Amino acid sequence: MVRSAEKPSSRRLVVERYTWLERVTHLVHLISMFVLLITGFKIYTGWGFMSFESARALHMIAVPFFLVANWLLVPYNIFSCKEEHCSIGDRLYHFKESYLFGKDDAERLLDIIKNFFGKGEYPAFTVYDERKGHYVTKLHPGMKLLLIFESTAIVLVALTGIVLYSLTWSPFGIPVSEWILSISWFFASMINMDGLALIRYLHLLAAYWFVLELIIHVGILELDPDAWKYHKAIFWSGNEDLSDRHFVKVIEEKDQVGTLADQKRLLEEQ
């Protein structure tokens, strides 16, 4: 794999990459997902390392932690703002640039593929604006693609899990399980399948997706020794030293000449 030969910075630039709440959210998501996968496959396959009752109990305990992490803490972390004057438009722009796969990410991903075959340098996917004091983006373009499917899988596993938990679950008298089951029967009838069987199949499919995502996320994207600094940041310190230029580009740093596109954009802003 060809690496970028960018000259290291002559000074350290240590910034906060993840807040304490983002690190806690990631840890809760990780632990609860492992518990759900292990106990879920035990329930499905009948593994003999624990009783069915214990597996189901642990499964149900992990569910609220998983959903709170993904449906409450993650959105809060994404749309929270450190600046005093931060408009809704600023937050939406930050979400778009940082978490949605876009044109720049497609170009980075293409460069990564080219680099795999020995063509060109590995692109920087962590971009930090020193003048503004925040990240423009800090996710690998492959991870941005995974987020689309992960969000879909979370919704799918939650909705199907409601029916598998109880066919008559009706909080505050609202027949949620019956509604979900009715929708599943509508689609199942198109493929000559039982509605409940379709729900079980989709629930299992979502579980397999999380396993695949884990392999891609940890086993492929993050096994590079140059990416280990991100493990330290997400699991411990929360900080990143941007003078380590592996996968990093800093905008407006004195010892780095930006691209023509960067210079044009900055001139237009001024």
Side-chain angles (χ1 to χ4, degrees), residues 156-187:
L156 192 63
V157 80
L159 294 178
T160 55
I162 289 174
V163 177
L164 296 177
Y165 167 72
S166 173
L167 294 174
T168 58
W169 192 64
S170 303
F172 307 106
I174 303 174
V176 177
S177 288
E178 292 181 14
W179 289 349
I180 297 173
L181 195 54
S182 297
I183 295 173
S184 70
W185 269 108
F186 174 78
F187 289 103

Side-chain angles (χ1 to χ4, degrees), residues 218-262:
V218 178
I220 298 178
L221 298 183
E222 307 258 347
L223 278 187
D224 189 325
D226 292 327
W228 289 353
K229 59 182 178 178
Y230 299 133
H231 292 80
K232 180 181 178 181
I234 192 63
F235 285 109
W236 181 249
S237 68
N239 297 328
E240 178 181 5
D241 184 357
L242 297 176
S243 61
D244 177 359
R245 290 302 173 81
H246 289 107
F247 315 119
V248 173
K249 180 175 73 173
V250 179
I251 299 174
E252 286 200 343
E253 192 175 14
K254 294 180 181 179
D255 60 348
Q256 177 178 326
V257 178
T259 63
L260 292 176
D262 291 333

